[in-house]
Amino acid sequence: MFLTTYRNTLKNLIRSTTFWLLVAVLAIVVIQGVNEGFYLVDTEPDFVLTYQMYIQSIINSLASKLLMYALPIFAVITVVLVLNRDYGDKFFEIEKAANVRPTSYLYGRLSALISVNFAVLILSNLLFMYCYLYTCGGVEGLTTWEMISETFIRVVRVDIFVGMPSLIFYIGLTYFAGAIFKNGIPAAIVGLGHAIWFYAGYLILRLHIGEWYFNYFSPVPKKLRQFFHYYDTEWFEDTIKRFDTSLAHVAFCISFLVGVAVLCSAISYIKVRQRNK
């Protein structure tokens, strides 16, 4: 039953016109980000991307570009699309008639949402980095194959440890709001509201909000992203000392984001069980 719900959720998302519009908008955001670049001089004809600058650009493409608003909004709207099918198109009643258990129903939905968002996260970040590196003419000191393979490994690593906890947080929070209010519109308000709050807070209100929030409890915790800033390079040890971060900070930040999502999922499960009676 879990696999049936999982497959049905994937099909419903992929068949949605809104989903593909979201993909198109995300592609535009990626292209715009590539054109903007990361440095004031990286559009100059004689610009040379050094290895250190290249390493910096990998975490920046995710944390400073995609996770600031584009991917969180994508995650929230995909959840809303699923919720609208559940509450608007009576999809829940159809699966209930097929004797799908609340556990299979809920976690089939959430697993499909996480899978889709993970795939989009990986593909969009890889597209961003490969296009950016192409516009820069490659990386100083790396062959084409070394650049392609190393970029793939580093992008996937930060996507798993930095990107996915953030998106799981948004997925859990948005689904929770939809389960509480039994409607996709309040879920969109809660999810998008939090994404806008973080974006505005980071750009405008950062000096007026406690640093503890951005360090540990924001959707993209600074202690988490700073740990992976120069991970697996000669600058790693000096960087984590300068930023005062560690594996313990990483574990706390990931645990908080995933923990909130798990708590939201548990409450959503209770609401699904009540709906199932």
Side-chain angles (χ1 to χ4, degrees), residues 41-95:
V41 295
D42 56 4
T43 57
E44 298 295 329
D46 58 346
F47 173 72
V48 176
L49 185 67
T50 65
Y51 185 72
Q52 185 174 8
M53 296 166 73
Y54 156 70
I55 294 297
Q56 288 179 321
S57 67
I58 290 176
I59 190 65
N60 287 335
S61 70
L62 176 65
S64 300
K65 300 284 187 177
L66 297 175
L67 281 183
M68 285 302 294
Y69 66 91
L71 285 174
I73 290 175
F74 183 93
V76 168
I77 297 180
T78 55
V79 176
V80 172
L81 290 175
V82 170
L83 289 169
N84 283 342
R85 286 299 307 271
D86 288 354
Y87 293 101
D89 297 344
K90 305 301 181 182
F91 198 75
F92 174 82
E93 284 71 15
I94 295 173
E95 297 215 348

Side-chain angles (χ1 to χ4, degrees), residues 27 54 77 82 97 169 176 191 220 257 269 271 273:
Y54 156 70
I77 297 180
V82 170
F169 168 84
F176 159 77
V220 191
L257 292 172
Y269 172 73
K271 300 300 294 183
R273 281 188 61 88

Side-chain angles (χ1 to χ4, degrees), residues 23-37:
V23 172
V25 170
L26 184 58
I28 293 172
V29 171
V30 169
I31 294 170
Q32 180 183 9
V34 171
N35 289 333
E36 291 175 352

Side-chain angles (χ1 to χ4, degrees), residues 122-138:
I122 294 288
L123 292 174
S124 60
N125 203 7
L126 284 173
L127 177 64
F128 192 115
M129 279 306 305
Y130 284 140
C131 288
Y132 175 71
L133 294 177
Y134 175 79
T135 62
C136 292

Side-chain angles (χ1 to χ4, degrees), residues 103-176:
T103 306
S104 298
Y105 172 83
L106 176 64
Y107 295 111
R109 288 280 188 276
L110 292 176
S111 296
L113 285 165
I114 291 172
S115 298
V116 167
N117 279 277
F118 180 66
V120 169
L121 166 65
I122 294 288
L123 292 174
S124 60
N125 203 7
L126 284 173
L127 177 64
F128 192 115
M129 279 306 305
Y130 284 140
C131 288
Y132 175 71
L133 294 177
Y134 175 79
T135 62
C136 292
V139 181
E140 184 181 39
L142 294 183
T143 65
T144 300
W145 171 246
E146 288 172 339
M147 181 183 67
I148 292 173
S149 58
E150 183 167 342
T151 299
F152 181 84
I153 293 171
R154 291 186 178 279
V155 165
V156 171
R157 180 165 56 208
V158 297
D159 284 350
I160 291 174
F161 292 105
V162 181
M164 275 315 298
S166 177
L167 297 186
I168 288 172
F169 168 84
Y170 278 109
I171 290 170
L173 180 66
T174 307
Y175 202 101
F176 159 77

Side-chain angles (χ1 to χ4, degrees), residues 214-216 220-228 243-246 249-250 253:
F214 291 105
N215 281 341
Y216 301 103
V220 191
K222 289 175 64 176
K223 294 296 183 181
L224 178 59
R225 61 177 290 188
Q226 287 166 346
F227 183 85
F228 288 98
F243 290 133
D244 188 27
T245 185
S246 65
H249 290 100
V250 169
C253 293

